[in-house]
Amino acid sequence: MGLADIKTFKNLEDDVISVNRCCACGACIAYCENQAFNVIEIENYTPKFKTDKSVENCLECGYCYYICPQTEPLLDKLREAHLVKDELGNIIDIFAAKTTNAKIKEVGQDGGIVSTILTYLFDTNNIDAAIVSEYDDSFKPIPKIIYSKDDLVKSAGTRYSISSNILPLKDLTQIAEDIISQKKRIYDPDQLRIAFIGTPCQCRAISKMKLLNIKPAHVISIVIGLFCFENFDYDKLMDILKSKTQTNPSDIKKTNIKKNFFVTSKDDSVKEVSIKDLDAAVRNHCHECDEFVGRYSDLSIGASGAPTGYSMILTRTEKGHSLIDSLLATGYIDRFIIPADQISEWQPKKINWLKKMTSLKVKK
Ligand SMILES: Cc1cc2nc3c(=O)[nH]c(=O)nc-3n(C[C@H](O)[C@H](O)[C@H](O)COP(=O)(O)OP(=O)(O)OC[C@H]3O[C@@H](n4cnc5c(N)ncnc54)[C@H](O)[C@@H]3O)c2cc1C
């Protein structure tokens, strides 16, 4: 491939953004800003050139195109690197578990596993920060860098709209400065150790960056993927919820999906909306996504297939596997005990179930 063949942000606009395939993960912006190229930004979930002049200033390095989770290049290599042989990807172990932490049990979406992993990583000084998602005052998900386990309570739970979790990586110097001011220690931005939490598409972007060995993914020390059937456009979702439940976004406390969509208000009343009624709000890029449990992460975590109150955990890499082993050994999480008469069929059944969910997603 000659330099003239390299795809650039203009191609990304044509092939992904203008045709509504962008998943708004923020990878293109994070890379570009991290290099101080300063030519693109994201507005209303849409990456774009900052100004007309930015078009001329673009160095046409092409990285934004190649790391985009929605583009084809690198996918073969990614599959190879992650030992992906089928729709579920590489699985070392699959089991259900739940947190033993009472506070996280209250606020976690399912088994509170993600927040407990982060608690453990902070407790054992294995990370300096984590990228999670929080809500703003109008119940809009926003990506957030947290520096301590005390901030986990606000971030626990699932947000069913885009949280551009790769975006905060655009300014590692700022992250290092925040840590210095909070922890009073000196940090080299390139030595940061950050845990990344994201949907399958976001993990795919981080993994593409890691495959190319480029900044800012070099500071991601662990990738925790969430199962994801689909994600919703924030404005459309809120409009539908308002018309179906008469609940204003600022009055919502929590949402969750158990076959249908449930809205818990701040006064603790719960309203149910048929999941079919939300079809019009599903993000377009989700229609072509073939990952339900994700494939490109150290761990994948979701509810599907787990007993109530537990999360399913798929360990995918040695790093992810030994991390979960440590949480089990130190009592941070409890493994679901499979009834004696189900031991031999439990795992194959769960794998079949997750394959079925993946094919349902693909068909939809
Ligand atoms: C859009 C979406 C759709 C999902 N669909 C399914 C599904 O169909 N089936 C299924 O089994 N599981 C699904 N999940 C995963 C599930 O809802 C839980 O997140 C998962 O089981 C982990 O629960 P937990 O109690 O261990 O996590 P918790 O301890 O509650 O932690 C959840 C973590 O996820 C982060 N997070 C929340 N929302 C987002 C977001 N939008 N983007 C990035 N990070 C986020 C939080 O900040 C927190 O760190 C979905 C998740 C998302 C974000």
Side-chain angles (χ1 to χ4, degrees):
M1 186 170 72
L3 269 184
D5 303 320
I6 288 183
K7 304 257 190 180
T8 68
F9 188 71
K10 282 186 213 130
N11 299 101
L12 201 56
E13 283 189 318
D14 291 346
D15 297 353
V16 176
I17 300 162
S18 67
V19 287
N20 216 2
R21 294 178 57 230
C22 174
C23 63
C25 65
C28 50
I29 320 287
Y31 171 75
C32 193
E33 287 270 306
N34 197 261
Q35 300 298 314
F37 294 159
N38 205 23
V39 291
I40 51 175
E41 63 186 2
I42 190 163
E43 197 182 285
N44 198 17
Y45 305 100
T46 309
K48 61 179 191 54
F49 278 116
K50 282 189 174 175
T51 61
D52 291 345
K53 188 118 184 63
S54 311
V55 185
E56 291 161 35
N57 291 344
C58 173
L59 293 183
E60 305 196 335
C61 67
Y63 280 108
C64 58
Y65 191 90
Y66 294 92
I67 60 176
C68 171
Q70 304 299 86
T71 61
E72 194 59 30
L74 297 184
L75 284 184
D76 280 351
K77 291 210 158 41
L78 205 60
R79 276 185 216 110
E80 219 176 281
H82 286 260
L83 310 172
V84 172
K85 296 199 181 68
D86 66 10
E87 64 269 51
L88 299 187
N90 190 50
I91 298 173
I92 298 177
D93 200 1
I94 168 170
F95 56 94
K98 65 177 180 192
T99 185
T100 57
N101 178 314
K103 187 76 213 160
I104 295 177
K105 204 174 277 181
E106 253 174 57
V107 291
Q109 189 74 10
D110 299 305
I113 294 297
V114 176
S115 303
T116 309
I117 294 172
L118 297 179
T119 305
Y120 175 85
L121 290 169
F122 278 121
D123 280 350
T124 52
N125 189 27
N126 269 300
I127 52 170
D128 307 304
I131 307 185
V132 294
S133 177
E134 287 186 4
Y135 288 119
D136 72 4
D137 293 340
S138 49
F139 206 67
K140 194 173 196 165
I142 41 166
K144 185 90 186 172
I145 299 260
I146 56 167
Y147 302 105
S148 132
K149 69 172 179 183
D150 302 335
D151 299 327
L152 278 168
V153 170
K154 260 171 101 180
S155 68
T158 299
R159 285 132 190 89
Y160 292 99
S161 298
I162 301 291
S163 176
S164 302
N165 275 13
I166 304 181
L167 206 53
L169 287 172
K170 69 183 182 183
D171 195 351
L172 295 183
T173 309
Q174 184 60 52
I175 297 175
E177 275 170 15
D178 285 349
I179 302 184
I180 292 167
S181 69
Q182 288 186 23
K183 298 195 177 171
K184 311 272 182 270
R185 278 193 245 147
I186 302 298
Y187 276 85
D188 169 357
D190 287 328
Q191 302 292 324
L192 288 168
R193 300 159 305 161
I194 303 183
F196 181 82
I197 318 298
T199 51
C201 47
Q202 297 175 343
C203 295
R204 196 158 67 236
I206 291 285
S207 301
K208 277 182 149 192
M209 286 168 152
K210 280 185 168 287
L211 191 75
L212 291 174
N213 217 1
I214 56 168
K215 294 181 177 186
H218 64 307
V219 297
I220 300 298
S221 55
I222 185 110
V223 180
I224 302 172
L226 306 169
F227 293 7
C228 183
F229 196 79
E230 58 198 7
N231 208 345
F232 300 95
D233 176 281
Y234 170 80
D235 289 325
K236 290 182 186 164
L237 179 66
M238 289 305 135
D239 282 351
I240 296 173
L241 296 185
K242 222 188 241 176
S243 83
K244 296 277 171 197
T245 71
Q246 285 72 52
T247 313
N248 280 318
S250 54
D251 292 328
I252 301 177
K253 183 160 117 188
K254 186 178 172 164
T255 52
N256 68 310
I257 298 179
K258 286 275 172 286
K259 291 207 175 92
N260 279 332
F261 197 94
F262 292 86
V263 180
T264 307
S265 299
K266 286 183 178 154
D267 64 5
D268 285 325
S269 61
V270 181
K271 293 188 175 127
E272 183 175 354
V273 179
S274 163
I275 197 80
K276 283 211 168 65
D277 289 340
L278 301 180
D279 274 354
V282 174
R283 291 264 316 181
N284 191 57
H285 69 87
C286 301
H287 293 308
E288 63 178 55
C289 179
D290 65 351
E291 290 189 58
F292 170 60
V293 292
R295 294 179 195 125
Y296 308 107
S297 56
D298 293 298
L299 297 162
S300 295
I301 298 171
S304 196
T308 307
Y310 286 80
S311 297
M312 280 312 263
I313 304 180
L314 273 57
T315 64
R316 298 190 177 281
T317 59
E318 285 305 331
K319 191 195 271 179
H321 190 75
S322 70
L323 172 61
I324 291 295
D325 262 355
S326 305
L327 268 93
L328 286 165
T330 48
Y332 277 72
I333 59 174
D334 275 343
R335 190 174 173 130
F336 172 70
I337 309 288
I338 302 168
D341 59 341
Q342 295 173 27
I343 286 178
S344 60
E345 78 259 27
W346 198 87
Q347 280 191 339
K349 259 191 177 167
K350 297 300 168 188
I351 286 177
N352 279 342
W353 171 253
L354 296 177
K355 283 187 173 171
K356 197 172 147 194
M357 289 299 292
T358 308
S359 77
L360 258 178
K361 171 168 177 162
V362 172
K363 267 186 211 143
K364 195 177 173 195

